[in-house]
Amino acid sequence: MSEAKRLHPAAIIFNLITTVRQFLFAIILGFITFRNESLFYFVLILAGLLVIFTVISVVIWYRFTYRIADDELRIEYGVFIRKKRYISKNRIQSIDLTSGVIHRLLNLTKVQIETAGTGTDAEASLSAVKLAEGEALRQELKSRGAEPLVDDDSTDDAAEQRSPSSTIRFKRLFIAGTTSGSIGVIMALAATAFSQVEQFIPERFYESTMQWIIGLSIIIIAVMTILVLLLLWLFGIAGTIIKYGKFTITRNEHELFITRGLLEQKQVTIPLKRIQAVGIQESIIRQPLGYVTVFAEIAGGSMDKGEDFSSILFPIMKRDEVDDFLATFLPDYAGLQQDLTPLPKRARKFYVLRATPPFLLLLVAVGIFIPSFTWIPLILLLAGGLGLGWLRHRDGGFQLEGMRLTIRYRMLSRNTIIMYHKRIQAFEKKQHKLQKLQNLATTSFSIVGTMGAGKHFTIKDLDVTQTDELSDWYSYRR
């Protein structure tokens, strides 16, 4: 791989798509502005811009080359200003392969290389190379020198034992989709899309449709609403299955290797030394069913992984399977503590007070504008506000075990976080006046997260003696 190579010609298409996406808002705005009288001229301008964008994409592709020489990945790019980027093998933290629909049709992949200093974007990205070449490139960049050759059939069995693997079953994947809670996100996206599409619907058609809906009986409207919600729920299940289909996690000597996706196939590498904490999340829907999601907080990296600042180690499993999973893939984090030191009872009122304001605002708004339906937010206030506050207080707690700290807290989902003393970057203790009167305090632990930014975990309203215990534990140095 010492000779300079260009990306696959399909990279021209991806460059063109990226360029058009950057100007998409301006294109939509121009269409809305000139759609009536000057639509013909707008189309001509748009066609001219498309030709220019295509030429630019071809030039960018032609001027981009990459090669491996002297234990470095060397990339040269730039149209008018020639840029050279050298990335040493020793600095590379992870190499991820992503194959979208177009990639898979052409047997291509996208290679993303991340280092310890990676920011919002990957350190280097090869948008389109042959799949075999991408895998060979990853293998070459991961190598740290020649390894002794051993001609022994027993090495295969030994390698298999050193590289345990786990794959999600379709039944579990279906349960993950049905309990994902993504229907709310889909409804928000659908409402946003409808608000934008509404202006393109003919006014006469829109008014007649709304009059028809208003003229329907309450029963028919209720049935239609249920059908729409059912359809959105099915979309949520399909989205989860497409995203996490064929999910497989494998542990190698120094890293975890994850593959997932039916349409867009991703291969993600997580170096073990970059794992700052391991978490177990139990959503308010999955917790009664006994299912959890296992995730990890990774230091550095970029937002290109698309996992919302955390990496999913396994999308769904039974709660009693977590310890075996951790013992197999992350043995340092095994031995999950279930009985944690609880929060003091006198802290419960603070949790209830924090949970009720959104429901009180809803109650006031409904009381002013729709007073006949005031009973709905009132029920939500009692069941939601008071119940959620009680749950947050009941689930909060911590446990110290040598140099390992386990904390548990709840927003909507219950989260259990396991971290080691050496990974914690900062400890903070806070008290407001009401907490001082009740002899309570709030603690916060900070670790290094995605893009090198801090990730904070907070336990509110601990007894002051408990916060002092945590402070002494954190401040201790051998």
Side-chain angles (χ1 to χ4, degrees), residues 215-263:
L216 296 175
S217 65
I218 297 178
I219 296 177
I220 295 177
I221 294 176
V223 171
M224 291 177 63
T225 303
I226 292 173
L227 291 176
V228 170
L229 292 176
L230 179 62
L231 184 62
L232 294 176
W233 181 58
L234 293 176
F235 280 143
I237 296 174
T240 301
I241 293 175
I242 290 172
K243 182 177 181 179
Y244 292 111
K246 298 182 179 179
F247 186 100
T248 303
I249 180 172
T250 304
R251 173 176 171 140
N252 298 324
E253 186 176 359
H254 301 295
E255 62 191 16
L256 296 176
F257 183 68
I258 296 175
T259 61
R260 65 169 178 83
L262 294 181
L263 294 181

Side-chain angles (χ1 to χ4, degrees), residues 24 30 48 74 95 134 146 195 199 217 221 227 255 267 306 332-333 335 358 390 411 465:
L24 186 60
R74 300 182 176 182
I95 306 167
S195 66
Q199 56 185 325
S217 65
I221 294 176
L227 291 176
E255 62 191 16
Q267 299 179 7
D332 290 342
Y333 293 90
W390 179 81
M411 294 303 291
T465 58

Side-chain angles (χ1 to χ4, degrees), residues 46 134 256 317 457 459:
L46 189 61
L256 296 176
M317 65 173 58
F457 302 104
I459 310 178

Side-chain angles (χ1 to χ4, degrees), residues 343 351 354-355 387-396 409-412:
L343 299 174
Y351 278 84
R354 290 191 193 98
L388 184 60
W390 179 81
L391 280 176
R392 288 176 177 174
H393 174 266
R394 187 198 67 175
D395 290 334
Y409 64 93
R410 175 190 289 276
M411 294 303 291
L412 285 178

Side-chain angles (χ1 to χ4, degrees), residues 153-187:
D153 294 338
S154 63
T155 56
D156 295 336
D157 297 334
E160 186 174 350
Q161 293 177 0
R162 291 194 304 268
S163 303
S165 179
S166 180
T167 303
I168 192 169
R169 300 192 300 271
F170 179 80
K171 179 181 177 181
R172 289 284 177 87
L173 195 59
F174 182 79
I175 294 174
T178 56
T179 59
S180 64
S182 58
I183 183 171
V185 178
I186 295 176
M187 288 178 65

